[in-house]
Amino acid sequence: MRMRPIVETDIDELQALARETGVGFTSLPDNRDFLAARIASTVSAFEERTPVDQRLYFFVLEDEETGRLAGCCAIEGQVGRETPFYHYRLGTLAHSSVQLDLHRTIDTLFLSSDHTGDAEVASLFLRPEYRGGDRRHQRNGALLSMMRWLFMAEFRDRFPDKVLAEMRGVFDERGRSPFWECLGSHFFPLAFDEADKLTGLGQKSFIGELMPKFPIYTPFLSDEARACIGQVHEHTRPALAMLKKQGLRWEGYIDIFDGGPTVEAYIDDVRGVRLSRRCRVEVKAGSLEQSPRPRWLAATTGMAGFRAAWLGRGPDEEGVVTLDEAEARRLEVAAGDTLRILDTEEEA
């Protein structure tokens, strides 16, 4: 299994992934023209033909044995520069009455564009058959999530100070969002799926045009809707756990449609960025002994032909990491090249 940038010939597999993501996965809609444009944008970004603040880096997890795409993830260089990027910010209003000797604090939701200009890690999806199960697939989710920190660390000058991740909110067994039903549905004459699809396609202007400009008092919401604020979909819990482990935290921002949390951090404070380092490569003929559970994550240090994968061993005392021929082919590196590596056990 290895990570690489998406290319034009991946369009059919990417659309198949989009069909499997399910409700609430806004950033990967099942729209071939939109997906083709995402691929073209990524190719332009990796060739560094796109302005830094408009770059999209989209990666796929490739099964070398079958050539199939097992999953995907992405990094948006900066959000909100071309189209508005909205959240609700959870706040508090205090009310008091001297005459009645009462003091009340009430939670509120404010429409916000506070994250404009931040980077975003997004579109993380792993096909069910590549999750857990046999030993070969146990670390695929970690590879998808964590390789993005190696990429950002290696190309740090391409990114702003902060990074965020939007997490899918709560849906019931019928695919219904209680938060949307109680709030968003009253302002948009659309079904959730339709509104979600429009935002995924980048058509977000209707949000600012139709959503209320004044704070919303959460006691006016149903108990079921309030219980969704800052909570995640059951399938999103592993991804959220990995992000929290890296140091991303919820600071009170939620998705305006499903109420899911947005977690964030300063990029330089993210553990995978801080603890990764460069090593020189040596290659030995034949096959070297592999660890049953690799702890070393490696990524190449060139923008063109970027690759990432797990390694069975780490560097020696001189900072040299030795690869066997299969590992060198997987990462497309040769002796004398460099890799950015992360000891995930140290990182933990």
Side-chain angles (χ1 to χ4, degrees):
M1 308 296 293
R2 70 171 179 178
M3 298 295 304
R4 61 169 175 80
I6 199 166
V7 295
E8 288 90 344
T9 53
D10 292 322
I11 181 64
D12 291 335
E13 279 282 284
L14 181 61
Q15 190 165 19
L17 285 176
R19 289 170 180 155
E20 296 178 26
T21 55
V23 65
F25 202 96
T26 308
S27 61
L28 203 63
D30 179 15
N31 180 293
R32 193 174 183 87
D33 290 340
F34 177 83
L35 297 175
R38 298 276 283 183
I39 293 175
S41 180
T42 291
V43 171
S44 179
F46 275 95
E47 292 177 355
E48 304 201 72
R49 293 184 284 109
T50 308
V52 172
D53 62 354
Q54 299 175 22
R55 289 180 183 174
L56 167 70
Y57 303 100
F58 199 100
F59 307 90
V60 290
L61 178 61
E62 181 182 45
D63 186 336
E64 289 184 293
E65 291 183 0
T66 65
R68 194 174 184 225
L69 299 188
C72 61
C73 64
I75 306 172
E76 291 272 5
Q78 294 186 34
V79 298
R81 293 301 191 192
E82 293 183 318
T83 57
F85 193 77
Y86 293 110
H87 287 108
Y88 277 134
R89 175 170 53 84
L90 189 63
T92 302
L93 283 179
H95 299 270
S96 62
S97 170
V98 176
Q99 181 180 1
L100 299 178
D101 192 26
L102 292 176
H103 183 84
R104 295 287 305 277
T105 58
I106 300 175
D107 288 337
T108 57
L109 299 175
F110 291 84
L111 192 64
S112 159
S113 297
D114 291 352
H115 288 99
T116 299
D118 293 346
E120 180 186 16
V121 288
S123 303
L124 191 149
F125 178 73
L126 183 63
R127 278 179 158 148
E129 60 267 37
Y130 287 93
R131 302 173 193 167
D134 65 69
R135 181 171 57 85
R136 180 170 176 261
H137 297 318
Q138 285 178 353
R139 308 214 76 190
N140 287 340
L143 174 56
L144 272 173
S145 181
M146 295 172 64
M147 55 75 51
R148 296 176 295 187
W149 308 127
L150 296 186
F151 185 85
M152 296 178 84
E154 184 60 37
F155 305 105
R156 184 64 187 87
D157 60 326
R158 274 78 161 182
F159 296 99
D161 291 336
K162 294 184 72 175
V163 62
L164 65 93
E166 293 186 298
M167 313 308 294
R168 183 162 29 168
V170 173
F171 293 81
D172 63 21
E173 62 279 357
R174 295 175 294 165
R176 171 180 160 274
S177 166
F179 188 81
W180 167 265
E181 295 293 334
C182 183
L183 182 55
S185 64
H186 296 291
F187 296 96
F188 302 107
L190 305 168
F192 177 91
D193 289 351
E194 187 176 356
D196 192 54
K197 181 180 179 181
L198 286 173
T199 58
L201 294 173
Q203 300 174 25
K204 301 179 181 180
S205 61
F206 71 93
I207 298 173
E209 294 164 353
L210 297 178
M211 288 302 288
K213 305 300 188 297
F214 300 102
I216 296 169
Y217 287 68
T218 62
F220 291 156
L221 304 180
S222 67
D223 292 343
E224 192 179 15
R226 287 203 305 273
C228 293
I229 294 175
Q231 302 302 308
V232 297
H233 190 284
E234 59 179 347
H235 294 163
T236 306
R237 289 171 189 162
L240 178 59
M242 283 189 283
L243 291 171
K244 285 184 174 180
K245 188 176 177 182
Q246 291 296 316
L248 279 74
R249 293 291 180 265
W250 184 45
E251 300 290 348
Y253 292 89
I254 63 170
D255 184 83
I256 62 170
F257 287 169
D258 61 31
T262 291
V263 293
E264 59 188 279
Y266 285 96
I267 292 176
D268 293 331
D269 291 338
V270 174
R271 291 189 178 94
V273 174
R274 285 193 293 109
L275 299 177
S276 66
R277 56 189 173 120
R278 273 194 173 194
C279 291
R280 187 166 54 85
V281 172
E282 291 292 342
V283 180
K284 284 195 174 181
S287 297
L288 298 175
E289 182 180 355
Q290 298 293 320
S291 168
R293 188 177 185 275
R295 59 185 273 188
W296 297 92
L297 189 64
T300 55
T301 55
M303 181 70 74
F306 178 83
R307 301 288 184 268
W310 288 106
L311 292 183
R313 70 205 63 79
D316 61 21
E317 294 180 357
E318 296 180 355
V320 176
V321 60
T322 302
L323 310 182
D324 62 24
E325 292 174 316
E327 291 172 319
R329 284 195 303 271
R330 183 170 300 119
L331 289 165
E332 299 183 17
V333 294
D337 289 342
T338 55
L339 290 173
R340 179 167 288 275
I341 66 169
L342 176 67
D343 181 349
T344 59
E345 291 190 7
E346 175 190 358
E347 184 273 334

